[in-house]
Amino acid sequence: MPSPPAPLPPELGRTFHYGEARARGASPRRLRAGDLAAPHRGVRVRVAEVGREPDDTDRASRIGHAVRRRAEAYDVVRHPDAFFVGRTALALYALPLERLPGEQLSGDLLLSGGAALDVGVFAPQRAPRARGVRGVQVRPALATLRSVGGFPVTSPASTWALLAGELDATGLTRLGDALVRIPRDERGRLLPDHRLATMEQLRAAADVPRRRGRPALYAALAQIRVGSASPLETNWRLAADAEGMPEFALDVEIRDARGALLGIADAAHHGYRVAVEIEGDHHRTDRAQWSRDIEKHAAYVAAGWEPVRLTAAHIRSGRATILLGDALRRRGWIG
């Protein structure tokens, strides 16, 4: 049986520089051992401390978690003037990653090498070139920076606009919806100070002179709405719009005649009294959530609303618009 690797110098953290480890007495052989990963030249990471997401998290969360861990590793050798941009920035903001044409995303980005990190510098500096890094040179007028978890990152609006060279108008709309969404706390209260960007900030970013992909950005701006909680909800909304259905308000508080809050619907049309709920899988697997949903929807009906419950399968197959159209027609819509 092979003997376990020798202990590393105690001063080294989870992620460390190869040169620092050598200076503290670790041998080259020790730094090639299987308990260490080398995601970037000159960087070592303790494999046992990578910190994967729990198995019950969704795939997008696992990928985002892996990208953040890889950014942490690259930060050991990052030039002080370099910053994270593109979809690496999205991961650091905990936003959903848009898949590029022909791309296969892996949740094990840290250990397998996976997709390259997007790392930018402002012109006239030269874009970084390194294993596992896609260097980007950015004109200073095209982006502003902020700190996220200690990392320098392009601002949410800048990140959105810079991705116009890679995403189409629909992808930019999904991302824009996520940026302008106003989150709620555990009691359902809106937290406007916690949203990542405003419509005005997105438009200002699109309007910067010589902005690449401006037509796609403007097309997305015409479709972005405040209140969509997920890319799935955006897909539903865009499909309903394409079918000529009446526009629904998003993230709507449903109240009874006395003003008591019955629930917060993903979308609602007050004229036809139709409320839409986009059901993630946790609505099915979480018994407490399932019971709350039953009570909530019963209260909607008692208050004169017709709830329409849609799943990812409904939206992806196109059946969501059929179910919604049936409900609207029952309520007097003649479309």
Side-chain angles (χ1 to χ4, degrees):
M1 174 181 292
S3 59
L8 288 164
E11 299 86 357
L12 299 176
R14 175 175 63 187
T15 302
F16 54 89
H17 195 285
Y18 180 93
E20 179 188 3
R22 290 285 292 120
R24 293 184 179 278
S27 69
R29 179 178 179 183
R30 175 64 186 89
L31 296 175
R32 292 194 301 269
D35 65 330
L36 297 175
H40 305 286
R41 182 181 178 87
V43 179
R44 295 294 184 271
V45 179
R46 299 175 193 255
V47 173
E49 299 182 25
V50 166
R52 288 183 176 83
E53 291 280 280
D55 290 341
D56 59 351
T57 57
D58 61 38
R59 182 171 175 273
S61 295
R62 291 195 298 272
I63 292 173
H65 179 82
V67 172
R68 290 190 293 275
R69 287 290 173 261
R70 187 138 182 224
E72 179 183 278
Y74 179 72
D75 208 47
V76 173
V77 292
R78 178 183 58 81
H79 188 278
D81 293 334
F83 49 85
F84 294 108
V85 67
R87 292 181 314 142
T88 302
L90 297 186
L92 295 175
Y93 284 116
L95 289 166
L97 298 182
E98 286 284 337
R99 186 189 302 274
L100 300 180
E103 179 186 44
Q104 297 295 320
L105 288 176
S106 166
D108 194 13
L109 295 178
L110 180 64
L111 300 181
S112 67
L117 292 175
D118 294 317
V119 180
V121 293
F122 285 126
Q125 296 186 71
R126 296 178 61 182
R129 299 178 61 186
R131 179 168 63 101
V133 168
R134 186 178 69 153
V136 181
Q137 186 189 63
V138 180
R139 287 195 299 114
L142 295 180
T144 57
L145 303 181
R146 67 170 56 176
S147 178
V148 178
F151 301 118
V153 182
T154 49
S155 71
S158 300
T159 302
W160 172 78
L162 287 168
L163 282 167
E166 302 179 34
L167 303 178
D168 60 16
T170 300
L172 291 168
T173 300
R174 283 193 291 262
L175 177 54
D177 275 3
L179 290 173
V180 302
R181 174 178 175 261
I182 301 176
R184 292 178 181 268
D185 66 14
E186 65 280 357
R187 298 178 62 182
R189 295 173 298 192
L190 289 169
L191 302 171
D193 292 340
H194 287 65
R195 66 176 161 182
L196 292 173
T198 64
M199 290 295 298
E200 292 75 20
Q201 288 169 335
L202 295 187
R203 183 166 296 279
D207 286 341
V208 173
R210 296 169 57 193
R211 172 70 75 186
R212 182 184 179 191
R214 195 191 309 278
L217 291 170
Y218 284 165
L221 282 169
Q223 295 180 310
I224 293 169
R225 299 289 184 273
V226 176
S228 184
S230 70
L232 192 63
E233 290 185 25
T234 300
N235 290 344
W236 162 79
R237 178 174 60 79
L238 294 178
D241 289 347
E243 292 292 328
M245 293 182 174
E247 185 169 355
F248 278 61
L250 305 178
D251 192 31
V252 179
E253 296 179 0
I254 304 295
R255 298 181 179 274
D256 64 17
R258 298 175 299 174
L261 182 65
L262 303 178
I264 301 171
D266 293 319
H269 195 290
H270 286 85
Y272 294 110
R273 306 283 283 183
V274 171
V276 175
E277 299 279 11
I278 311 296
E279 309 281 17
D281 200 47
H282 72 283
H283 288 267
R284 177 185 63 84
T285 59
D286 186 323
R287 288 193 174 188
Q289 180 68 55
W290 188 25
S291 295
R292 287 194 297 269
D293 288 343
I294 290 174
E295 294 176 5
K296 178 176 67 173
H297 296 140
Y300 286 1
V301 172
W305 289 84
E306 178 167 351
V308 178
R309 304 176 68 181
L310 303 174
T311 67
H314 291 144
I315 294 169
R316 292 175 183 138
S317 69
R319 182 155 176 74
T321 54
I322 296 174
L323 296 172
L324 182 59
D326 290 344
L328 287 168
R329 280 184 281 272
R330 286 192 293 270
R331 293 295 178 125
W333 182 57
I334 57 174

